[in-house]
Amino acid sequence: MRPETPMMIFKDESGATAIEYGLIAALVSVAAITALSAMGGSLDTMFTNVSGLLNKAVAP
């Protein structure tokens, strides 16, 4: 086994891909959480309205 020189260590990019995939996954997670949080209030309002309309339609 040959000892690695400092320049060879700096040129080694084998871990860079894993770090890039990790950063992409983190970015996608943040975007999904932000989108779902923004949509959460409007979905709650919509289902509340639908529920109210169904209750009025079924009530005698």
Side-chain angles (χ1 to χ4, degrees), residues 3-4 8 11-13 18-19 25-26 28 30 38 42 44 47 49:
E4 294 185 14
M8 290 175 68
K11 288 183 180 180
D12 184 19
E13 296 181 5
I19 292 171
V28 168
V30 168
S42 63
D44 185 44
F47 283 117
N49 290 339

Side-chain angles (χ1 to χ4, degrees), residues 1-59:
M1 186 165 155
R2 189 180 126 198
E4 294 185 14
T5 64
M7 290 306 289
M8 290 175 68
I9 292 172
F10 287 121
K11 288 183 180 180
D12 184 19
E13 296 181 5
S14 60
T17 304
I19 292 171
E20 290 168 358
Y21 282 133
L23 290 172
I24 291 170
L27 181 63
V28 168
S29 298
V30 168
I33 290 169
T34 302
L36 292 174
S37 294
M39 256 186 0
S42 63
L43 285 175
D44 185 44
T45 303
M46 181 182 70
F47 283 117
T48 302
N49 290 339
V50 169
S51 174
L53 292 172
L54 289 174
N55 285 335
K56 284 181 187 178
V58 175

